[in-house]
Amino acid sequence: MGVTIIIGGQWGDEGKGKVTDALAARAHMVVRPNGSTNAGHTVQTPAGIYKFHLVPSGVLYPGCDCVIGAGVAIPPADLLDEIEDLTGRGIDMSSLYISDRANIIMPFHPLQDQLEETQRGSNNIGTTLRGNGPAYADKAGRRGIRMADLLDERALVERLNLIIPEKNVLLTSLYNQPPLDISELLEQFTAYGEKLAPRVVSSEMMVQDAIDAGKSVIIEGAQAAMLDIDYGTYPYVTSTSPTAAGACQGAGIGPTQVSNVVSVYKAYTTRVGGGPYPTELDEETGDLLRRRGAEFGTTTGRPRRTGWFDGVAARYTARLNGVTHVAITKLDILDPLPEIQVCVGYELDGQVVHSPHAIAETYGRVKPLFETLPGWQEDTSQLTSYDQLPTNARRYIDRLEEIIGAPVVMIGLGPSREQLLWRREVDFA
Ligand code: IMP
């Protein structure tokens, strides 16, 4: 029994949904600690493909409590749509709970996201345009509206009266947009509150009670450590801490309550949006990875940038997050390659360095130092046990394990549930 945190060890889209689904089969609770609809966690089961944005991936297991924690920013209309869609597909949604402290993404946040990106011009971040940055900025600026406010008309009126006049100055004078109407927002968001009210709880207490009762809790991080607002490639990052520490904060637990930190890495790398990316491939091999790996955003549909495995970034995030176990996904995508490169260091102005530079522009100038490993050129997608992997595929995994510095316990060989093999069986329950 214990708490297991799942994080992304690269720039997102590593397959955290699939790994969460595997562990959730034996868990009592799955908590989403951060992010919002910028995330898209995909789970492929015999019943179909599910793309979760706000709802924890554990919802497919009846009896598993699913919690949207205080660190998540929620656009209520999108959440209601996601609940309705899943209900329509026959999923029991009665165990979905929402933190009363979660901040709300208001209609002006996506608008502000779009306007801010336009203003950045060629330096744009390439955000998902879902309003996350502006919503988290308002949260930190103490201008947020929270889920509990939607359930208390007096509190909501007070918050809107405080926040909207200031927003209107920004929207009308800086962005040339029409002002927002407080009474319309009040009506709209009170209605959302009424619909969501039965699910709104003090989620941190629910999580703590589960831990006290000896239940197993999975915390399903969104985004990834290289997109972290402090340690990622700032300013080309998301607006939360998609780290193990951030997961604790967003779920409402302390570091001493965590038993395992599982970091998910793709067998290569991808990145969506702008920002430095030392191992990026922009030729034939990059296209091959994009095509074979279906590397198009779950949330935005944008083509993802593709590159070789970056061992420097991988080790950096493993160390910063106290990673105890590793899952390597999409190994099968590398099947046809005669040779595979892994970045083991960077060269910067004639010096070899082993961590990402703090300035994005400088980090963008590093030259990756590659090690070349032989490929295996065999179809691995139908294999059912780790021992069946070709020798060179196992060598590749052994090398990644050495570089990352934590044991690789799971290998993904395809999108469906059964295409996830245990290298070493671990009881996370
Ligand atoms: P935002 O989170 O929408 O503000 O976007 C900031 C950066 O994080 C952009 O480069 C996005 O492409 C990236 N990003 C945000 N969420 C995800 C995700 O779930 N997967 C991959 N990239 C993401």
Side-chain angles (χ1 to χ4, degrees):
M1 302 294 157
V3 176
T4 298
I5 293 176
I6 297 171
I7 59 158
Q10 297 161 322
W11 283 275
D13 310 308
E14 296 93 350
K16 294 176 289 292
K18 187 179 162 78
V19 172
T20 304
D21 174 68
L23 303 193
R26 283 189 269 168
H28 297 106
M29 178 181 276
V30 178
V31 188
R32 270 283 307 271
N34 70 301
S36 180
T37 50
N38 49 354
H41 290 186
T42 307
V43 178
Q44 188 168 322
T45 75
I49 299 175
Y50 299 88
K51 292 176 192 283
F52 299 109
H53 295 287
L54 290 156
V55 172
S57 302
V59 78
L60 298 177
Y61 294 100
C64 179
D65 285 337
C66 286
V67 178
I68 299 178
V72 177
I74 300 176
D78 291 346
L79 178 56
L80 287 163
D81 284 350
E82 194 170 339
I83 294 171
E84 194 182 311
D85 178 51
L86 289 165
T87 306
R89 294 180 70 181
I91 307 297
D92 175 11
M93 298 301 291
S94 59
S95 304
L96 176 70
Y97 301 93
I98 307 162
S99 168
D100 51 3
R101 291 164 196 266
N103 271 250
I104 301 296
I105 296 192
M106 300 295 285
F108 46 83
H109 288 134
L111 180 66
Q112 224 180 314
D113 204 352
Q114 172 75 69
L115 296 167
E116 285 174 5
E117 278 287 80
T118 308
Q119 277 219 325
R120 288 182 192 115
S122 60
N123 291 325
N124 72 75
I125 296 167
T127 74
T128 56
L129 300 178
R130 304 292 150 126
N132 295 275
Y136 283 109
D138 279 348
K139 170 181 173 176
R142 280 58 57 91
R143 288 184 297 272
I145 289 173
R146 309 205 295 181
M147 190 52 81
D149 298 324
L150 306 194
L151 275 48
D152 179 334
E153 193 173 330
R154 218 173 42 141
L156 185 57
V157 170
E158 202 173 299
R159 295 302 289 159
L160 289 171
N161 280 330
L162 193 76
I163 295 157
I164 301 304
E166 189 190 322
K167 278 285 163 204
N168 279 343
V169 173
L170 182 82
L171 289 171
T172 55
S173 7
L174 190 62
Y175 294 123
N176 224 359
Q177 296 290 314
L180 302 157
D181 184 284
I182 292 181
S183 49
E184 262 175 40
L185 288 172
L186 179 64
E187 192 182 332
Q188 193 183 5
F189 282 80
T190 306
Y192 293 143
E194 276 166 18
K195 286 191 184 144
L196 292 169
R199 301 179 186 278
V200 177
V201 294
S202 170
S203 68
E204 69 281 15
M205 288 295 95
M206 214 177 146
V207 174
Q208 288 298 332
D209 289 345
I211 295 172
D212 285 351
K215 294 184 173 175
S216 81
V217 177
I218 306 286
I219 306 188
E220 178 187 12
Q223 286 79 51
M226 285 303 286
L227 291 171
D228 177 64
I229 192 155
D230 293 308
Y231 301 105
T233 51
Y234 192 87
Y236 300 95
V237 291
T238 193
S239 37
T240 62
S241 293
T243 54
C248 288
Q249 178 68 11
I253 61 163
T256 52
Q257 293 179 300
V258 179
S259 306
N260 309 290
V261 178
V262 180
S263 186
V264 187
Y265 297 88
K266 263 181 215 181
Y268 48 100
T269 51
T270 60
R271 168 160 210 175
V272 202
Y277 185 4
T279 62
E280 182 164 18
L281 285 160
D282 47 15
E283 28 71 10
E284 229 176 283
T285 313
D287 284 341
L288 180 107
L289 296 179
R290 187 173 305 105
R291 213 177 39 252
R292 282 184 56 79
E295 297 297 355
F296 297 89
T298 313
T299 296
T300 59
R302 290 182 290 178
R304 296 178 184 142
R305 299 157 71 190
T306 51
W308 294 121
F309 190 89
D310 186 334
V312 178
R315 179 147 182 81
Y316 179 73
T317 61
R319 293 180 74 194
L320 264 54
N321 289 283
V323 167
T324 59
H325 302 85
V326 169
I328 302 285
T329 58
K330 291 192 151 183
L331 184 68
D332 59 304
I333 304 305
L334 304 179
D335 283 352
L337 298 176
E339 286 185 336
I340 300 165
Q341 315 245 62
V342 178
C343 170
V344 291
Y346 302 139
E347 191 193 306
L348 179 63
D349 304 329
Q351 306 274 337
V352 176
V353 293
H354 289 283
S355 62
H357 198 279
I359 298 176
E361 189 272 327
T362 310
Y363 187 32
R365 285 196 288 113
V366 303
K367 288 195 181 53
L369 302 171
F370 286 117
E371 192 174 285
T372 304
L373 283 91
W376 44 93
Q377 296 189 284
E378 274 176 58
D379 178 10
T380 59
S381 62
Q382 303 308 315
L383 303 182
T384 51
S385 78
Y386 184 77
D387 299 342
Q388 295 167 353
L389 277 176
T391 309
N392 285 349
R394 279 184 276 135
R395 272 197 198 137
Y396 184 65
I397 296 296
D398 289 346
R399 186 66 186 120
L400 295 193
E401 179 172 89
E402 262 170 26
I403 292 169
I404 295 167
V408 174
V409 295
M410 277 182 266
I411 313 283
L413 295 174
S416 69
R417 237 182 208 168
E418 58 282 5
Q419 289 172 304
L420 189 68
L421 309 183
W422 284 95
R423 181 172 181 234
R424 293 175 202 147
E425 194 79 37
V426 182
D427 187 9
F428 288 106

